[in-house]
Amino acid sequence: MFEECLDVFKKQFEEYKKQDRDPILSTYILDVGTYIIVNNKGEIEYTDVTVDKDTKKRNYTDDTLLNSIRFYDYHSKLISMNKPMDSKKVIHSNNYLSFAVKKDSITTKLTEAIIDNYYDTLKNPLEKKYKKSKKSKEASKIYQKFEEEYSAVDVELLERCRSWIKQHIFSIDKLINIDLEKKGYLKIFFEIFEADEEDNRKNKELFIQEDNRYIYPNIYNKSEYIINVQKESDEDRCGLPYYGINMNDKKPFLKIKTRKVFIPYLLDLNEALLQKQFFEYLMNFASDGKNNVYVDTVNNKIEAYGDREEREKFAGIEAGYYLRIQKGKELEIQAQDNLVNYQDKLLVNFDYQDFFKMNIKNYPEYTKDIGIYSKRTSVGKLINEIFFSKYLLTNYFTDANDISVKDSVLKRIIIIYRNVIFDWIYKGMDNDFYRVVDKFSLEVIENSVARGDLLNAIKQLNLRWSFKDFYRKEGEKTMKELVSDIVKNINKKMIDTTANSEIETDDEYYYAIGLFTAYLISLSKTSKKTHALANPILDSKNNGMIINRLENMYKKYNYIIETNKLEVNNLYAMILAYTISHENIAINKDMIQYGFLRGNILYNNILQ
């Protein structure tokens, strides 16, 4: 799978290069901070990078520098804080043309000794870094080969950069307008050559060279995981790449001990560099909140989207892979799966319907989502907002112990069912989805009723029944047709002055029970009336239990009921007279809930 993803990335990367575009730099996200460019005359330009709290977009005080700064920053960053050039890990850049440090470190951690150690290491990395121990032997040979093919460090240029840093870094706030108390980076880049077009190319080439001077001996996980495949030539080295698997002594389970070479897989330098670029490409997406990545192996394309992002140009892929990524200290691939004919566009539109026809003047939010939805991701937003009060989207991959949802019932439902919901929305996997929705949605509604959140319960029942219609079998009545007939029949029978009307179906019966339960609770004179009073009915396990509990509730409140209440008398009489079709038939909780919620609208006027 991963090799195929790399192959697609390589082809896409090559296509971008033909268009003189860089897919990594074009999507590269800068850290919050201040970025300074020092030209060869010592003159400076700078920009501040901030993030808008609402939109999460980057803002730049001078966006004319953006392309140059992206380039310099990308070609001077560390592979990891575990592979620094500054042994104290205060300076976070990888070559002498750059100097990156956190702003608050300038006044608290950074010293001249640390600066000198950084530049001394860069001045002679072979002696200062790669020959410190036998474990670094293979890395040192890679570095030696690099110097042979390219060049040794230009000591004169390095000393010029060192001198400027030591002269200005501790008084940088006097040189530019910068608040060293604010969070973020200070990053300084040196342009050695003049700023015309040709020399600008030379500056970039020098940055790439010095970046590679760092990358080549550090691209692998550990120096001892590098193997010289053809020992007699001392040329052909392969190793475990740093990107993709983080194997160390604390993870012995990653070693394949049944083989002579215990390393899981080996890549040569070119393959390792390609894998590095791929992970950096994915990190750009993750940094931009585009956590859903689709690798199309048919059309050789990679698309990425945020959870809330509209996908107007993305219908799906015929074959490929899905990656769920997250930005952490390093890139995290939280989930991955094969995709076969994934379509974001639904084969049949999803109709989110209103089954209650409420007076919406006081509740404009009630109908804002009612309508037709053509995409899985759009229906996913409904599921997140209506069933899960917006808590599902942010907790698909949160550790169960870290989910900060106070409602214990909702938290439990998220933990149990989130994987199946996620697979349906983002991977197009229909297996078990409707069965799962049918199960958890009823629990969610019961929980909302118990908490007294009837408006939300009504919206949730609307969504539940919309799913019932979406998955109904050919020839079955729609839920709207079903409930319309039930409501019409019960209403007609409740005002029958002959008192000869009878309930005809189990669905009518359970709807009547919900309606009558709501009426009885509306009679309660308690100072704190909660809908938990309905729990004895809603939690009943069989019909006999329902009737017994309904009788107890009726006895509790019947002293308030006037004898001339025709509708009430007829409703209760019909309930008592009805015999369900089969004693062991499952209780229709849908109709009880619908009757109860509709009854609250009718009797209490609480939602008008």
Side-chain angles (χ1 to χ4, degrees), residues 206-223:
L206 184 58
F207 254 92
I208 292 173
Q209 175 183 288
E210 295 310 307
D211 184 27
N212 288 340
R213 189 186 301 277
Y214 163 78
I215 289 172
Y216 284 19
N218 289 285
I219 191 68
Y220 295 113
N221 194 292
K222 295 176 73 173
S223 183

Side-chain angles (χ1 to χ4, degrees), residues 339 341-343 376 422-430:
L339 296 180
N341 195 26
Y342 168 73
Q343 301 294 326
R376 289 177 184 270
F422 184 88
D423 287 349
W424 184 81
I425 297 169
Y426 296 103
K427 303 178 189 176
M429 297 180 179
D430 293 314

Side-chain angles (χ1 to χ4, degrees), residues 25 82 128 141 150 164 224-225 244 247 292 298 321 328 338 347 362 390 400 412 420 431 453 545 548 552:
L25 285 178
N82 294 324
K128 292 285 187 179
K141 289 182 179 180
Y150 296 94
W164 194 97
E224 56 262 45
Y225 296 162
M247 189 171 83
N292 305 291
V298 175
Y321 301 98
N338 294 2
L347 295 177
N362 296 332
K390 299 183 179 180
R412 175 180 57 79
V420 175
N431 296 346
D453 189 358
M545 192 178 292
N548 289 336
N552 290 336

Side-chain angles (χ1 to χ4, degrees), residues 453-542:
D453 189 358
L454 296 192
L455 181 61
N456 207 32
I458 288 171
K459 291 165 68 176
Q460 289 164 348
L461 188 60
N462 279 338
L463 185 55
R464 171 179 166 81
W465 282 7
S466 296
F467 270 112
K468 279 183 174 290
D469 273 354
F470 185 72
Y471 282 99
R472 73 185 176 89
K473 295 178 181 178
E474 189 176 350
E476 290 181 344
K477 276 188 176 182
T478 67
M479 291 305 296
K480 188 160 285 188
E481 291 170 339
L482 183 64
V483 298
S484 177
D485 290 345
I486 290 170
V487 171
K488 188 191 302 180
N489 290 340
I490 293 296
N491 285 349
K492 183 178 179 180
K493 293 169 184 177
M494 284 172 63
I495 59 174
D496 181 7
T497 55
T498 67
N500 291 325
S501 294
E502 296 179 351
I503 289 173
E504 298 173 13
T505 67
D506 290 349
D507 287 344
E508 285 185 9
Y509 171 68
Y510 286 116
Y511 169 74
I513 286 173
L515 205 62
F516 193 58
T517 301
Y519 173 72
L520 292 177
I521 291 176
S522 73
L523 302 176
S524 173
K525 300 296 184 182
T526 58
S527 57
K528 188 177 181 181
K529 187 190 303 184
T530 70
H531 295 279
L533 294 171
N535 284 352
I537 303 300
L538 300 176
D539 293 341
S540 296
K541 303 298 183 185
N542 54 59

Side-chain angles (χ1 to χ4, degrees), residues 75-134:
H75 286 292
S76 61
K77 62 188 183 72
L78 297 173
I79 288 175
S80 163
M81 285 307 298
N82 294 324
K83 293 178 175 288
M85 295 308 287
D86 166 26
S87 59
K88 299 296 183 182
K89 299 185 180 181
V90 176
I91 303 170
H92 296 175
S93 43
N94 72 24
N95 68 74
Y96 66 82
L97 297 169
S98 59
F99 190 90
V101 63
K102 289 187 176 179
K103 289 179 179 178
D104 56 2
S105 294
I106 295 173
T107 56
T108 59
K109 297 179 181 178
L110 188 65
T111 64
E112 281 203 17
I114 289 175
I115 295 171
D116 281 330
N117 179 67
Y118 171 67
Y119 282 103
D120 287 343
T121 303
L122 292 170
K123 188 175 181 178
N124 193 350
L126 187 60
E127 295 296 330
K128 292 285 187 179
K129 184 172 177 65
Y130 303 122
K131 279 191 175 180
K132 282 190 172 183
S133 68
K134 290 182 180 180

